[in-house]
Each structure stands twice: as structure tokens, then as C-alpha cells.
Amino acid sequence: MMNSQLQKLNHAPSYSLLPKSSIHTNYLIRHGGPSLINTLPPHPVRQNHNNKKNSSSCVVIRASSGELGSSASVTTTATTTLTENKPVSVKAVVTVQVTAGELLSSIVNGPLDGFTDLLGKSLLLELVSAELDPKTGLEKDRIKGYAHKASHKDDEVIYESNFTIPAGFGAVGAIEVENEHHKEIFIKTIDLQGFPNGSVNVPCNSWVQPKFDNPQKRIFFTNKSYIPSETPSGLKRLRELELENLRGNGEGERKTSDRIYDYDTYNDLGDPDSKDELARPVLGSKEHPYPRRCRTGRPRTKTDPLSETRSSSVYVPRDEEFSEVKELTFSTKALKSVLHALVPSLETALINPDLGFPYFRAIDSLFNEGVTLPKPKTGGFFQTIIPRLVKTITEGGDDLLLFEIPEIIDRDKFSWFRDEEFSRQTLAGLNPYSIQLVTEWPLKSKLDPEIYGPPESLITTELVEKEIKGSMTVDEALKRKKMFILDYHDLYLPYVNKVREIEGTTLYGSRTLLFLTEDGTLRPVAIELTRPPVGDKPQWKQVFTPTWDATGCWLWRLAKAHVCAHDAGYHQLVIHWLRTHCATEPYIIAANRQLSAMHPIYRLLHPHFRYTMEINALARESLINAGGVIESSFSPAKYSIELSSAAYDQLWRFDMEALPADLIRRGMAVEDPTAEHGLKLTIEDYPFANDGLILWDVIKEWVGDYVNHYYPDPTLVESDTELQGWWTEVRTKGHADKKDEPWWPVLKTPENLIHILTTIIWVTAGHHAAVNFGQYMYAGYFPNKPTIARTNMPTEDPSEEFFNNFLKKPEMALLMCFPSQIQATKVMAVLDVLSNHSPDEEYLGGKLESSWAENPVINAAFERFNGNLKRLEGIIDERNTNLKLKNRVGAGVVPYELLKPFSTPGVTGMGVPNSISI
């Protein structure tokens, strides 16, 4: 009977394990027999020998009712920190990181805090027992002690305190901390040393406010993870209390020191009190659906009671703002410097905002001569923060903005001019997410013809068959899946007339048709540009094709410039901002409000959420705001974020954010159980998908190992109140405008949970890396990816003078269409910083979290994860030497490396960080 029970147990994916002596003894006492080893996980488990601090742990061996008696779970507790027999003396070692902000505040508070340190009363620590008092049913008395300053080396201060833990206290489950200083401090870790079987590690990585500002003690739990139903009795109240503190009450304006997570609409992008033209609609409503952002509680504007006033800095919960702690935010500091100092300097240096580049050599001069900037008030400021961009001409003289040559132009100066490169980048460039299979013919708009004109496309069957030189009919091409499209028609067309009212820009709806050749490469067939009816003018549309005559060639190049501007806007506003930064913030807010810091799923997700809220706040402050870099430099202009709202409304679905589902949705893959990854790609040489699917599988395996360890019984997922609360809040509050959609995944089983978590981690890591870290490489030379088209096509209602000028000097027409000097240099500077990896970037699978290190099952799973990522690097390197893969290898072609997991610092065009941190 016992053997059959254990055989059933053996099919569960993984189990929590006690230290050998404890788990073996407890199990034999309860059930007899030595057969427990049959329940070890199928993968080999190797301890992390680099981590000597093994904390106390509780083991839960689960079986369904009837297998191991009537109880569904049997819990035994390790003896690592138990003190049942005699008192134990331990030492608490608190590691505090000194930050730039603390150094400044010490000038003011130094004498007071120095006196506190001298008295040995810097931090009050209270050790919390994991279990209730069995006699009273109440929490056991805390063991209290003050920590004194023991040492100070470089940027770390060590505080120490000695405790005597009485017999019967049990395992330490948490520590409460009170900061006796007059300034906030950043606590990295607390280690309890001296227990018989090793130290107890309490990860903190958090700001603790002085008790004079916030009398509430901070709660920090040990490394042991618990789902709610397994929470030790002595920690249940604190677990709930900490979540209540993080939720707040939804009232009042948030202070910088707050740690409160709550939701609000995007009602802070406009500035109507400053200028009428800076008013913007609220995003997050029936009219303009949108994800939610973090609530700041700032007062409403006088002009518009629905809009929130702007401020010089935007609130994020204190632990989301790491700029003074982590070198990683070197990138954030650089971006702030570009937005707040460099851009204004450029606007001063380039006085005429509409001045374009007079010739292509002037564009080249950005890389070899640079732009002279007025000397900043703070000497050496730019060189310190953004040395890659700004050089000092002479000591005490002006600065020089000098751009590095992007790799794509360094390898092939004329690549941007060629049709084959234009096509290749739809599969292996900055935006590999837009191309889709043509499945309906003829092409037809779904917009109201009464408003937007005839819906039929002018890209006809006859035109296509002529362009593909009679190699096959359109029907054959459709059946053989040979025709693909970039479709920016219906999304852009409603904004065309609005945008055209703005001076210095224009817009079309566009369709770009591409044909898959026999060698697996794409070539463009036709571009259609459309303007809807306006006033007494009917709809205008025209199809442009690659031709052999001079006029036709230049018209084709101009049409490509318009399509590239459409693609650049869609990439930045939808593929990048909306689908990664914006859509992720609700996951983060809900996780902090609903998942305890000791919840295993919180600990799994937390590395993928670091720094995202801070970078999003900076985007709202200076990038996507009214009059910001996006509005001033991208084609949709003041309607940019409104357009991303339309895309969210029409296109965004959580279930389609998973890479396999996204590929299937676009017709770029079909399900095939016999194929690798369970998918057959429509275009075999699709570098983004080829590498991305391996990365997706690697992430899914790691998540599966992790989830199955903590949820061996499938019913535990549905009964996990915190987990269900998180997923409910993501749907009903974070993405409230889509809460009733039928496509939201249910969360009832471990399989459901694995898919949801894999999707979120893919978005924050793989998806974001693929569309972010190639920005300077592909768009740093802006003719390859212009962000705006400023002039209409010469054939659209031209004046005689305009058309004659085009015929005389078509190159000038193209330069006039490209961004102005100020638009181009602003965007180039921002993209350079956005594409940069900082020196201590945290890459996917690169850092073992302390709570994982102390769990042998999770530790072993993480090592497999890391090994798989290193294997992916080798696969990508090998692929980039295979000349048969023409979409990623060739003369002058930049190898596709955007999904290589690891990178050196700088602008490298590779590396997949854990989170959306820039």
C-alpha cells in the first residue's frame, strides 16, 4: 500500500524538501519505512555551494486525501532555528547601503544621527516567531534589541545586535524594524548568525523611513516562501497587515517616501492650465480605453477637472525608485539628462525648429563633426553623465554633441536605400511585430465609407501579378502563403485630417505589400498611401511600385519614407510603449497590492518588475506628455498617445501577448505538434521568431519547474486567495476597460498559471529587448527609420511649382520630407540612451535570487534555466554564420543578436534584461 502511495506521489512535478536528517526522521516517525527518497524531484538537485547561509525552512509533503491518512498535507519543521530545548545566542548583522541622497541629508541630520549611533540605538529590531504561542493562541512576545553601528566601508554600513532567543521561541519568521535616525536608510539584508545549522537570511532591499516621519514599523520576512494556506500561524497577521499598508486607502496626495500602490487613469499627460493647446484627453475610459498607471493623488487642474496637475517629479512608490542605490539607473540618469538638459541645449543651438538638412553630407556631419552646444552652467555635466554623446571641445569651452556611427551604416552606408534591406528589417529589424500574412483578397478597409471614402484598395490583382513578373497568380500566392503586408491603413486613417491641421507634418494611411521569393527573402511589391475626404476634396489614394524610370524611383523612395515613419510611430507607440511598458504597470501594481513579499509567485515576478514604474513615470514626465519628445518628433504628433489608445482598444489582448499566439494571430505560424516548439513558421528564416521561440520555451520550462514545485496539488492554485486576488485585480482594475472581455485566461490550474507567468516574463524580457535595444542601431541613422514625414507626396494635389521643384531636385524633396534637424538630433540622443546597457544590468537568468538559492529544488531549476540561456547564445552565434539564412546574414548585414541573453555594457544590439528598466 505504501509503495503504491509513493508511486503516485512520484508523478507530482516537484516537492519541497527538508534537510536530510530532519525530513527523513520526521517522515519515518509518522509513516515508517525508508521509501521517502522516491519522492525526490526527477531533476538532479545540487546545492549552491557559493551560498553558505542556509536558513530555516518548513517542508510540506502533500498527498490527496486517503493516500497518507485523512490529512491533505503533513507539515514538519526543520530544526535550523528552533530553540525548543535551550536558549540560543545569535547576532543580527544589518547591511545598510549609503546613497548619494543620504550623504546630502547627513549634512543636515548628521550630528543628530551621529549621536544616535554613538548611543548604540540606530535601529530597533524585533524578532518575530513563526508560530503562535500554543498555550494562548496569541503571537509570542517579540525579542527586541537595538543595532549599533559596527563598521563603515565604501558605500556600506554594518549595524549589529546580539540576541538571546529563549527556549520554545521557535523559528524566526520575520523581523520588524524601526529606524531611529532622522533620515531614511536603505537596508539591503539582515542576517541572523549563530543558529546551530546556519544563518537566517532576511532580504530587505528597501527604504525604511525614520520613526519621526512614519511611526509604523517595517516588516521583513525571511527567505522562506509560503502560499497563503501554508503561512505559519505567527506570520498570518503580519502578512495581511503588510499588504494593507501597501494598498493604502486611495486618498490624499502621495509623498515621495510613501510605499503605496494604487490605480489611476492617464490623466496627467496634458497641461491645460499652462496652454490650451497642451490639453489632452484622459486615457482610461469608454471613449479612450487604456491600461491604468500608478495613482499619485495630485490635485486636479483648474481648466479641466478630469485632468491631474503636473509636477517636476512624478511619484512612484519608494521602493520602485532606485536611482540613488543601483548603478543600473545610470541609464535612467542619462535619459533624464538628455530630456531635461541636452534637449533644451539643442533647441538653443538649433534655433529654427523647422530647418531641415540641406544635403546628405549634413546628416553625415552629425557623426564626424557634431553639433556645438552652449556651455552648461555646470561645467563637465554632460561629459560625466553622457560621455558617449557629448565631448568637450576645449577646456572651459563649448560642448560638442557627436554621435557614434550606428552599426547598420558602419557596415553598409547605403543599406537604408535598398529595397531588400527595407524588407529584411520587417523580419529582423527594430519592429518584427507588424508583418502579417495576407489572408483576404482583395484588400479592403473596414472603416465607414461614408466618412473615409471607398474602402477598396487600388492594389489590384493585375498590378500584383505584373509586379511578381507572372511567376504565379494571386490565387496561387495566397494558397502558397507568399503575400505579406504592413497594414497601417485603418489605424492611421482616422487621424490623417487631424494631424494635417498641425503645421510641419502630414500623415497618410498606408498598406505595404511584400512577396516571399523562392530563396526565403521578401521583396516589396507595392505601397498604397491614402488620404480620406476633407472639405470639398474627395478621398485621395495612389499606389507606388518599384520602377526603372527616374521619376518613379524617387516617388517610390518618398513612399517608403512615409511607410518608415508610420512604422516608426507604430513601433514606438504600440509595439514598444503600449505592449511592454504601459501594459506591464498594472501587473506590478496588482502584485504589490495582492501578493505578499513571502509569496513564491511574487518572488518569481519581482526581478521582472524592477525599475519599470520609475521609467514609466519618467516617460509620462518628458517623453509621451503633451509637447514632449514623442509628440514633437513623430508623425501622429499631438495625437500620438491617443493613437496608442485606439490600438489598445482594437488590438490588445492578453492572450495574444504570448509569442506563439502572436505569431499565429498574424499568420506567421500555424500550430503543428510535429514541429519544433509546436509551431511551423510561415517564413522559415524569420530571425526574431526563430530565436524568440527558443527563448519562450526556455522561460516556460523555468516557470513550469518553479510553479510545479509550489503547487504540486492543482487545487492549490484556485484556492490561493492572494494569487486569485492578483489576477482578478489585473483584469478588473489594472486593465479595467477590458475587464469583461471573454479572452482573459482563467486561473484554475498550474498550467494556467505557468502560461500567464510565462507571458508576462516574455513581455518584460524578450519582447522588450527585441524592440528596444536595437533602436540606435536601426534608427540612429534616421533616413533608415525616420520618425516623421513632414511633406505630402509630390503627386497629391501638387502646385506646378512644387512638382517642378521635385523634378529638378528630387533629393531635396526627400530631405524636406525627413525630420527637421532638431527633431532628428533629439530622437537620436534619446535612442542612444535607450539602447544602452548599464554596467550592472541584470540579465534574464543571470542572477540567482537569495530565496531561490536556499531552496535546492528551485536552485537546481535556475541552474538549468541559466544553462539553457547560454545554449541559446551559442545557437544564435551559429545561426549568424550560416549564409543560407539570408535574412540574418550577408554582405553588410547586421547579424540578428537582439535576443542573445547576455551582453557587455554599452550600445551592443544584444542582451535580454530581466525587466523593462529603460
Side-chain angles (χ1 to χ4, degrees):
M1 177 66 180
M2 179 59 70
N3 285 336
S4 66
Q5 292 167 351
L6 290 173
Q7 285 171 0
K8 291 179 182 178
L9 277 174
N10 197 34
H11 292 289
S14 57
Y15 292 87
S16 302
L17 300 178
L18 279 172
K20 284 183 181 177
S21 59
S22 178
I23 189 169
H24 192 71
T25 304
N26 279 287
Y27 191 85
L28 292 181
I29 289 171
R30 289 173 186 249
H31 302 291
S35 305
L36 179 66
I37 54 172
N38 291 333
T39 66
L40 288 171
H43 300 295
V45 175
R46 185 167 70 84
Q47 291 285 355
N48 179 13
H49 297 294
N50 295 325
N51 193 315
K52 304 296 183 186
K53 299 175 182 177
N54 294 316
S55 72
S56 66
S57 59
C58 292
V59 63
V60 179
I61 304 173
R62 297 186 187 83
S64 58
S65 179
E67 289 184 348
L68 294 178
S70 60
S71 175
S73 68
V74 181
T75 303
T76 60
T77 306
T79 59
T80 306
T81 63
L82 295 185
T83 55
E84 300 300 337
N85 300 322
K86 61 181 180 178
V88 176
S89 295
V90 299
K91 179 167 70 174
V93 178
V94 184
T95 303
V96 171
Q97 181 151 344
V98 179
T99 69
E102 282 187 85
L103 291 173
L104 289 172
S105 66
S106 67
I107 297 171
V108 178
N109 298 316
L112 287 171
D113 291 337
F115 186 65
T116 303
D117 287 341
L118 193 63
L119 292 175
K121 293 189 174 183
S122 306
L123 297 169
L124 175 62
L125 306 181
E126 300 185 7
L127 308 188
V128 181
S129 173
E131 301 298 334
L132 295 175
D133 188 318
K135 296 178 181 177
T136 65
L138 302 175
E139 292 178 6
K140 295 177 182 177
D141 290 340
R142 307 282 197 266
I143 303 172
K144 301 181 181 182
Y146 283 101
H148 63 276
K149 186 175 179 179
S151 64
H152 185 174
K153 185 178 180 182
D154 298 328
D155 62 349
E156 285 188 350
V157 179
I158 303 298
Y159 293 87
E160 294 180 353
S161 181
N162 294 306
F163 296 90
T164 298
I165 300 182
F169 184 77
V172 175
I175 299 178
E176 288 196 304
V177 179
E178 184 175 78
N179 178 8
E180 307 296 314
H181 290 109
H182 288 76
K183 63 180 184 295
E184 65 177 2
I185 58 173
F186 187 83
I187 301 181
K188 293 174 69 176
T189 60
I190 303 174
D191 288 320
L192 298 177
Q193 302 172 358
F195 289 106
N197 295 331
S199 300
V200 173
N201 178 255
V202 181
C204 303
N205 293 311
S206 180
W207 296 94
V208 179
Q209 301 304 314
K211 69 176 184 180
F212 310 100
D213 295 337
N214 186 347
Q216 214 168 42
K217 294 184 179 75
R218 285 298 309 279
I219 305 164
F220 296 107
F221 299 106
T222 63
N223 261 333
K224 174 66 180 172
S225 297
Y226 299 98
I227 60 175
S229 61
E230 295 173 356
T231 310
S233 59
L235 302 179
K236 287 182 178 179
R237 185 187 66 85
L238 289 181
R239 182 173 187 148
E240 293 169 3
L241 176 62
E242 176 68 351
L243 286 174
E244 288 175 12
N245 293 339
L246 290 168
R247 291 184 198 122
N249 60 11
E251 298 175 0
E253 184 171 357
R254 299 274 67 86
K255 303 191 298 291
T256 304
S257 59
D258 285 346
R259 297 170 56 247
I260 295 174
Y261 295 78
D262 205 353
Y263 302 94
D264 208 342
T265 58
Y266 277 76
N267 61 354
D268 63 341
L269 301 181
D271 190 6
D273 286 350
S274 175
K275 292 179 183 177
D276 289 345
E277 55 265 34
L278 293 180
R280 295 293 181 270
V282 173
L283 303 185
S285 63
K286 282 188 177 181
E287 188 179 358
H288 298 293
Y290 219 52
R292 298 302 191 259
R293 49 92 173 175
C294 185
R295 179 185 178 275
T296 67
R298 290 174 293 188
R300 299 305 171 99
T301 61
K302 297 173 184 175
T303 310
D304 177 11
L306 296 178
S307 293
E308 189 174 272
T309 55
R310 295 179 59 76
S311 53
S312 57
S313 63
V314 180
Y315 165 79
V316 293
R318 189 65 181 108
D319 286 343
E320 302 293 336
E321 205 277 309
F322 281 88
S323 59
E324 296 174 6
V325 178
K326 295 289 289 180
E327 251 193 279
L328 179 68
T329 53
F330 160 82
S331 301
T332 308
K333 289 177 182 175
L335 182 56
K336 285 181 179 177
S337 301
V338 167
L339 295 174
H340 296 166
L342 182 60
V343 167
S345 292
L346 274 171
E347 290 168 344
T348 302
L350 304 170
I351 299 170
N352 183 351
D354 300 320
L355 184 65
F357 289 87
Y359 35 77
F360 278 92
R361 286 196 309 279
I363 299 174
D364 295 341
S365 72
L366 295 173
F367 306 101
N368 51 47
E369 296 176 19
V371 178
T372 302
L373 301 173
K375 179 178 168 53
K377 294 178 182 178
T378 307
F381 171 76
F382 287 136
Q383 293 78 36
T384 304
I385 304 296
I386 41 177
R388 178 183 147 90
L389 280 173
V390 180
K391 318 289 190 283
T392 300
I393 303 172
T394 58
E395 189 67 33
D398 291 334
D399 287 333
L400 186 70
L401 175 64
L402 187 65
F403 292 97
E404 302 276 338
I405 299 174
E407 187 177 0
I408 185 174
I409 298 303
D410 193 42
R411 285 174 174 261
D412 181 354
K413 185 175 181 179
F414 301 105
S415 59
W416 69 276
F417 218 55
R418 294 186 285 104
D419 286 354
E420 54 267 34
E421 181 64 14
F422 170 80
S423 301
R424 189 191 74 83
Q425 287 182 27
T426 64
L427 301 171
L430 187 54
N431 176 18
Y433 270 99
S434 283
I435 188 167
Q436 53 187 313
L437 180 69
V438 175
T439 56
E440 295 180 0
W441 193 264
L443 301 175
K444 191 174 181 179
S445 170
K446 293 179 173 60
L447 298 174
D448 185 350
E450 293 294 320
I451 300 172
Y452 299 104
E456 294 80 14
S457 171
L458 293 183
I459 302 177
T460 62
T461 299
E462 295 74 23
L463 184 147
V464 172
E465 291 178 352
K466 177 184 173 185
E467 289 300 318
I468 61 177
K469 307 295 188 281
S471 58
M472 64 184 72
T473 66
V474 166
D475 283 344
E476 288 174 317
L478 288 169
K479 287 176 185 174
R480 293 173 60 184
K481 298 183 178 181
K482 292 284 188 178
M483 292 206 298
F484 298 83
I485 191 170
L486 296 179
D487 192 349
Y488 299 129
H489 187 277
D490 284 11
L491 183 65
Y492 274 74
L493 205 63
Y495 293 94
V496 168
N497 289 332
K498 295 178 185 178
V499 168
R500 286 181 170 218
E501 292 175 2
I502 302 168
E503 190 176 347
T505 188
T506 192
L507 192 62
Y508 293 100
S510 70
R511 298 183 180 101
T512 303
L513 194 69
L514 303 110
F515 180 75
L516 183 65
T517 64
E518 291 303 315
D519 65 0
T521 61
L522 290 169
R523 73 175 184 87
V525 172
I527 291 172
E528 181 179 38
L529 301 178
T530 305
R531 181 207 69 204
V534 56
D536 57 356
K537 292 181 179 180
Q539 182 197 67
W540 177 91
K541 61 177 123 183
Q542 186 173 347
V543 175
F544 303 89
T545 58
T547 63
W548 297 100
D549 68 283
T551 303
C553 280
W554 278 102
L555 287 172
W556 172 248
R557 287 166 188 154
L558 281 162
K560 280 201 300 180
H562 280 274
V563 169
C564 285
H566 300 164
D567 188 67
Y570 188 80
H571 159 263
Q572 203 65 263
L573 297 167
V574 179
I575 301 299
H576 183 194
W577 162 254
L578 173 66
R579 289 179 61 179
T580 65
H581 288 259
C582 187
T584 296
E585 188 154 335
Y587 313 148
I588 302 171
I589 298 171
N592 282 279
R593 287 168 55 87
Q594 297 295 334
L595 297 177
S596 167
M598 68 167 77
H599 198 294
I601 301 306
Y602 179 87
R603 285 176 162 159
L604 174 67
L605 287 174
H606 187 248
H608 305 288
F609 291 164
R610 289 185 181 127
Y611 319 114
T612 301
M613 290 180 73
E614 182 181 12
I615 203 68
N616 285 3
L618 179 57
R620 301 205 318 272
E621 186 183 332
S622 302
L623 277 173
I624 64 171
N625 60 301
V629 172
I630 297 292
E631 286 196 359
S632 64
S633 305
F634 283 75
S635 276
K638 65 182 285 186
Y639 301 100
S640 291
I641 301 302
E642 190 178 324
L643 184 142
S644 78
S645 167
Y648 178 72
D649 183 29
Q650 298 168 31
L651 303 171
W652 190 88
R653 293 175 47 157
F654 182 88
D655 61 329
M656 295 296 166
E657 293 305 290
L659 177 61
D662 172 82
L663 292 169
I664 293 168
R665 180 192 203 183
R666 292 187 283 121
M668 301 305 292
V670 293
E671 290 187 72
D672 182 352
T674 66
E676 191 177 10
H677 317 295
L679 292 179
K680 179 176 174 56
L681 292 176
T682 310
I683 299 176
E684 289 184 16
D685 182 14
Y686 184 2
F688 161 70
N690 298 133
D691 299 352
L693 285 169
I694 297 178
L695 183 58
W696 169 271
D697 284 352
V698 168
I699 294 170
K700 188 173 183 180
E701 181 185 328
W702 153 242
V703 173
D705 287 343
Y706 191 98
V707 167
N708 288 327
H709 174 67
Y710 286 104
Y711 296 93
D713 178 353
T715 63
L716 289 170
V717 170
E718 197 166 7
S719 64
D720 187 328
T721 52
E722 287 184 5
L723 189 67
Q724 294 298 329
W726 167 69
W727 187 234
T728 298
E729 199 166 285
V730 164
R731 302 189 324 270
T732 61
K733 291 188 175 181
H735 288 273
D737 299 325
K738 287 182 174 277
K739 67 180 186 298
D740 297 322
E741 296 287 356
W743 41 254
W744 282 104
V746 296
L747 181 52
K748 293 185 176 181
T749 66
E751 289 73 25
N752 299 153
L753 179 57
I754 290 165
H755 187 75
I756 288 168
L757 297 175
T758 302
T759 299
I760 290 173
I761 294 171
W762 162 258
V763 168
T764 63
H767 180 149
H768 182 257
V771 302
N772 181 74
F773 291 102
Q775 291 195 86
Y776 189 74
M777 182 165 61
Y778 285 106
Y781 185 76
F782 69 84
N784 183 64
K785 189 70 70 174
T787 58
I788 191 168
R790 297 189 297 149
T791 58
N792 293 341
M793 290 294 293
T795 51
E796 185 201 338
D797 304 329
S799 66
E800 187 175 342
E801 180 185 5
F802 181 78
F803 193 73
N804 284 338
N805 286 337
F806 160 68
L807 293 176
K808 287 178 184 176
K809 203 162 187 180
E811 176 187 329
M812 199 64 212
L814 185 58
L815 287 165
M816 288 171 62
C817 185
F818 281 157
S820 69
Q821 291 187 34
I822 185 64
Q823 288 170 332
T825 49
K826 269 199 301 190
V827 170
M828 288 165 67
V830 171
L831 296 186
D832 183 275
V833 175
L834 293 181
S835 305
N836 209 315
H837 289 297
S838 61
D840 61 346
E841 186 88 85
E842 295 178 10
Y843 293 99
L844 186 68
K847 180 186 176 185
L848 182 67
E849 298 291 315
S850 60
S851 61
W852 306 342
E854 295 182 9
N855 184 315
V857 176
I858 301 303
N859 190 2
F862 184 85
E863 288 189 6
R864 287 192 297 276
F865 181 41
N866 177 269
N868 287 335
L869 290 167
K870 289 176 178 174
R871 278 190 286 277
L872 173 57
E873 288 209 309
I875 291 169
I876 291 173
D877 286 339
E878 184 179 356
R879 286 173 172 174
N880 285 335
T881 63
N882 185 351
L883 288 172
K884 293 180 181 179
L885 302 177
K886 298 180 181 179
N887 292 324
R888 68 188 303 151
V889 185
V893 171
V894 176
Y896 190 77
E897 297 181 309
L898 287 169
L899 291 175
K900 279 187 78 171
F902 306 104
S903 173
T904 55
V907 178
T908 63
M910 65 180 77
V912 181
N914 266 327
S915 63
I916 304 164
S917 57
I918 189 66

